[in-house]
Amino acid sequence: MAQTPNLTTGPSLARTLTAPFAAIGRFLTAIAEARPLVQQFNRLNEMSDEDLAALGTTRGEMVQKIVGRQVHF
């Protein structure tokens, strides 16, 4: 009995051709999702320790609050 090569075991041509565009899309999504985080850190950096103390918090606590919202397991 003759056997023919099975060409469907490897990645499809369409998947190979679209992979770079999918990677770019994931990269742009990651940038868009990181933007609010960066803005929050910029606002925190603009505040003095005295400003934070007046709010009843510390810089470390604020960092934990900012990062804690972004970490998903």
Side-chain angles (χ1 to χ4, degrees), residues 32-71:
E33 290 174 351
R35 183 179 169 104
L37 183 65
V38 170
Q39 290 174 340
Q40 289 176 333
F41 274 111
N42 284 340
R43 282 194 297 270
L44 178 60
N45 286 334
E46 291 171 357
M47 298 178 78
S48 69
D49 290 337
E50 292 80 18
D51 294 336
L52 292 169
L55 294 173
T57 190
T58 65
R59 194 167 305 278
E61 290 173 346
M62 291 301 294
V63 168
Q64 288 178 347
K65 287 180 184 179
I66 294 170
V67 175
R69 281 188 244 149
Q70 301 295 324
V71 177

Side-chain angles (χ1 to χ4, degrees), residues 7-16:
L7 299 177
T8 60
T9 58
S12 70
L13 178 60
R15 186 175 299 169
T16 302

